[in-house]
Amino acid sequence: MKFYRIGDKVVSRDKLVDAIDAILSAREGGATQEDVARTHLVQRSFVSFLETLGEVRRGARVAVVGFPVSNAVEVKAVAEKHAVDFVLVLSQEEREQVESSGEATKVFNALLETIALLRDYDVVVLMASDWRINTMERILGGEVIGIPLGPSPLRSAVTVDLGELETVLANVMSARRTRRPKTRIGMAAQQVADLTGRWKPSKR
């Protein structure tokens, strides 16, 4: 735990971080600045200041999904650079481990939850086989930008062209779009992380 001595006061860094997390999580969940300020006993202008201080971009809610990807680490780094809201990228090994886990119900439930979540994003950048891209375009109904990795079924991981992905994300982030009404998009970051974690192979 980190403390700062400021004059006659001792300030806890952890207490500050916890308070900021709580404020931003409440705002992400749909609470107004006024509501958050009242709940956390701060001024509304302070909540606004925090959002301005930490802002990295504005615009469309974007998801990046891809499998099987051989350069998954690099793809995730590009998505992080563009502050993508939701990222789920699996290598062939990770996909096979999930599929062979013997927990068919768990995988199916995670798939349904992921599709339901993706329907609330403005843009989904999908890196997959041609058949999966076409299928997801019909299911999601929103804007799906497909980066085909090859004909279905894909039996081995494919290297994603990072330059192409950079161009796609740069164009998506710079385009002005009319936001769709909020539904489940107010999920807290921890909930999104939990859902992403369900695609990790179970440790034996």
Side-chain angles (χ1 to χ4, degrees):
M1 189 172 289
K2 176 71 173 179
F3 295 102
Y4 297 91
R5 164 65 70 172
I6 304 175
D8 61 350
K9 294 176 290 189
V10 176
V11 177
S12 167
R13 177 184 179 277
D14 292 343
K15 185 176 180 180
L16 286 173
V17 171
D18 290 344
I20 292 172
D21 280 345
I23 289 171
L24 296 180
S25 293
R27 285 287 288 141
E28 185 180 43
T32 66
Q33 289 184 349
E34 290 285 359
D35 290 340
V36 173
R38 195 161 40 245
T39 299
H40 294 277
L41 305 178
V42 297
Q43 295 182 347
R44 188 203 62 76
S45 58
F46 175 72
V47 179
S48 177
F49 171 76
L50 283 180
E51 295 175 17
T52 301
L53 185 65
E55 182 179 312
V56 291
R57 72 172 178 87
R58 296 191 180 196
R61 297 164 293 194
V62 181
V64 169
V65 179
F67 59 91
V69 176
S70 61
N71 55 339
V73 173
E74 291 81 0
V75 168
K76 292 176 184 177
V78 172
E80 181 178 353
K81 171 185 172 183
H82 289 276
V84 169
D85 301 273
F86 178 80
V87 182
L88 179 61
V89 179
L90 301 177
S91 66
Q92 177 67 8
E93 181 181 5
E94 289 172 326
R95 188 178 78 165
E96 289 176 351
Q97 288 176 340
V98 171
E99 292 175 344
S100 63
S101 65
E103 302 176 44
T105 300
K106 176 182 176 183
V107 174
F108 183 69
N109 289 342
L111 175 62
L112 292 181
E113 288 185 31
T114 302
I115 291 175
L117 174 67
L118 291 176
R119 285 181 63 86
D120 292 320
Y121 283 83
D122 300 299
V123 181
V124 177
V125 178
L126 178 60
M127 298 162 287
S129 67
D130 50 8
W131 180 85
R132 292 186 187 277
I133 291 174
N134 292 333
T135 301
M136 290 299 285
E137 286 175 342
R138 295 197 300 270
I139 292 175
L140 295 180
E143 183 173 356
V144 176
I145 299 177
I147 299 180
L149 299 184
S152 184
L154 293 174
R155 300 300 184 188
S156 59
V158 178
T159 300
V160 171
D161 184 331
L162 299 180
E164 180 182 4
L165 181 60
E166 280 272 9
T167 299
V168 168
L169 290 179
N171 289 335
V172 167
M173 298 309 182
S174 63
R176 294 188 177 182
R177 286 178 169 79
T178 301
R179 292 170 66 88
R180 288 183 285 169
K182 281 189 177 182
T183 50
R184 287 185 60 212
I185 205 65
M187 294 177 72
Q190 185 58 51
Q191 291 176 283
V192 172
D194 290 343
L195 177 56
T196 305
R198 296 183 65 177
W199 289 103
K200 301 292 184 183
S202 301
K203 294 183 178 180
R204 299 183 182 277

